Amino acid sequence: DYGRPYEEGFNAVDGASGWTTAGPLVFYVRGEYQSAPSASAPTPAVLDFFNRTDNWPTGPALPVASISRFRLLDTYLGFNLGNWQFSFGKNSLWWGPSEGGTMMFTNNAAPLNNTFTVDRVSPFRLPWLFSYLGDIRFEGFIGHMTGLEFQTTFNTGASTIAVRGQYGKNLHPQPFLSGGKVSFKLTPNFEFGMSKTTVYGGPGNPLNVTTFLDSAFGKHYHGDVLGDGRTTADFSYRIPGLRNWLTLYGESLSEDEPSPIPYMRRNASQGGLYLAKFPGVPKLDLRLEGGYSNPVAFCGICIYYNGQYNSGYNNDGRLIGTWIGRAAQGEQIRTNYWVGPRKRIGLELRHRTLDPGYVPQGGNQNDIAVDADILTGIGFRFQGNLQYERWQIPLLATTRQSDVSVSV
């Protein structure tokens, strides 16, 4: 949700977007006014939890301030050269086939600042035997993160591990996040992709050509990989005999490994089935997704975590990866009835279970939502959502809680 603020009470988002082109140049801007009420400070139990799991300070506890601000989201200047597009600014990415949220990169968090991206907008084929790799696409980026408050001296050669930073104050300078994704459409029905991202920079870690390449390729410094790297592999496959009806897809994420494929039992993984239309009801679709981020053969809390970059795989306080989060498993069912090509009504059910090895006594969340997305012929778009949620997380509340949210 682009890192929008959200607290109990009345929240507002009002924005606009626009673009213009001039030859090979394109300029896109999207801005919003955002407001959200304040919230109480974390309890001592929550602060102690952060300290034990992520090595954050135990205080002081700061309340969440109310927000009333204008913020630019996707805003960039692009340049098209042949079949390549280069851009600079803020640019959201979505790397993977899952609809609920991919393992590596989603728009759950705000776009990175000062991001340079390169994108092969039209696929290409390699000559000779390499033509069997099919149509190939590549995307790459490097951008500045924001909202990270802590970083340790782990893997820096320091004799003792110290925590830099404090609550309520961003690190200076903020680390960079870089990454690349390559996709191969080997057949008309099978596509396979691999991606890698790396966090590096921040206090005491100057980013230059050498450290950028060493962190991107996983070179070891002081006995460990430089930076905070993770890799994913993903695929989508249209099922034989049901090519126009049913698609199977999946993705797997590994921490600090050059490829997740040899380490499947140590990875976080998710996947799903998409039925494009029901027999006899062609306007109705169905999507089933599920996954986990607490692999049994790996440290159960180590997905989306790093000993040095202990603020987590976040941007401005929001996880960049899947909605399942850290050390959890989740499932969702979603169906849409398409009234027209640009008009749909949807129903979604989600369940998530938190690993008690991570969150004390674990927890669970269940929600059901009805939404509509209708685009009229005059360019007006209506979006609405009604959601009911029940959750029980003893760390946050001693009894089962429920809430209702409405957005228009």
Side-chain angles (χ1 to χ4, degrees), residues 47-389:
L47 291 176
D48 179 66
F49 166 71
F50 290 152
N51 177 258
R52 288 184 291 105
T53 58
D54 294 344
N55 202 17
W56 290 10
T58 55
L62 299 176
V64 178
S66 61
I67 291 177
S68 177
R69 68 190 181 194
F70 177 80
R71 168 167 285 191
L72 291 174
L73 297 179
D74 291 62
T75 301
Y76 55 87
L77 177 66
F79 177 74
N80 294 293
L81 181 62
N83 291 314
W84 295 87
Q85 184 177 81
F86 306 88
S87 65
F88 181 79
K90 291 185 173 186
N91 203 342
S92 297
L93 299 174
W94 188 279
W95 282 2
S98 301
E99 184 180 81
T102 67
M103 303 296 295
M104 181 64 87
F105 215 111
T106 73
N107 59 15
N108 181 62
L112 302 174
N113 292 329
N114 306 318
T115 304
F116 174 75
T117 63
V118 55
D119 184 9
R120 175 73 183 197
V121 292
S122 297
F124 63 93
R125 283 195 173 227
L126 295 174
W128 199 45
L129 294 177
F130 300 107
S131 63
Y132 287 103
L133 293 174
D135 294 334
I136 302 173
R137 283 196 58 194
F138 172 80
E139 297 176 79
F141 75 92
I142 181 170
H144 233 146
M145 306 176 80
T146 187
L148 276 63
E149 298 177 343
F150 308 112
Q151 186 173 313
T152 77
T153 57
F154 176 78
N155 196 31
T156 62
S159 56
T160 59
I161 298 177
V163 180
R164 298 185 174 107
Q166 64 186 63
Y167 285 105
K169 185 176 181 180
N170 290 347
L171 292 170
H172 182 75
Q174 290 279 285
F176 287 86
L177 178 64
S178 60
K181 177 177 175 63
V182 59
S183 302
F184 307 91
K185 193 163 187 178
L186 291 101
T187 75
N189 300 303
F190 180 66
E191 187 167 355
F192 174 78
M194 297 194 69
S195 59
K196 184 181 191 301
T197 63
T198 306
V199 179
Y200 189 75
N205 293 336
L207 183 71
N208 51 46
V209 174
T210 300
T211 57
F212 170 75
L213 293 175
D214 287 350
S215 61
F217 289 100
K219 185 174 180 179
H220 281 62
Y221 280 60
H222 308 292
D224 205 345
V225 177
L226 184 66
D228 178 16
R230 41 189 58 86
T231 54
T232 62
D234 63 75
F235 76 93
S236 64
Y237 180 59
R238 289 196 251 180
I239 304 299
L242 298 169
R243 300 292 196 195
N244 297 325
W245 294 67
L246 190 61
T247 301
L248 171 70
Y249 56 90
E251 48 189 312
S252 190
L253 178 143
S254 179
E255 292 282 342
D256 293 323
E257 300 293 353
S259 167
I261 296 175
Y263 308 97
M264 295 302 295
R265 296 184 68 248
R266 294 164 49 90
N267 298 345
S269 301
Q270 66 182 27
L273 281 168
Y274 176 59
L275 182 64
K277 52 186 176 180
F278 271 89
V281 192
K283 294 184 178 182
L284 189 68
D285 68 11
L286 176 67
R287 188 182 297 270
L288 309 175
E289 288 187 355
Y292 59 87
S293 56
N294 55 343
V296 295
F298 189 53
C299 163
I301 67 173
C302 292
I303 299 296
Y304 297 133
Y305 175 76
N306 182 265
Q308 182 178 17
Y309 294 95
N310 61 327
S311 285
Y313 190 54
N314 304 318
N315 193 51
D316 203 20
R318 298 290 191 275
L319 181 65
I320 298 172
T322 176
W323 69 275
I324 295 173
R326 290 177 60 188
Q329 66 181 52
E331 304 83 30
Q332 71 171 18
I333 302 172
R334 179 170 185 85
T335 183
N336 295 296
Y337 184 79
W338 294 89
V339 182
R342 297 181 295 178
K343 301 176 182 178
R344 66 164 182 82
I345 300 173
L347 173 68
E348 182 178 270
L349 297 92
R350 291 204 304 183
H351 168 77
R352 188 166 77 121
T353 300
L354 306 181
D355 191 330
Y358 173 52
V359 178
Q361 302 180 63
N364 61 79
Q365 295 172 271
N366 298 278
D367 62 66
I368 180 171
V370 179
D371 69 320
D373 189 345
I374 298 172
L375 183 65
T376 68
I378 59 174
F380 176 79
R381 186 175 187 179
F382 170 82
Q383 292 178 300
N385 180 279
L386 172 63
Q387 176 179 292
Y388 172 74
E389 179 184 49

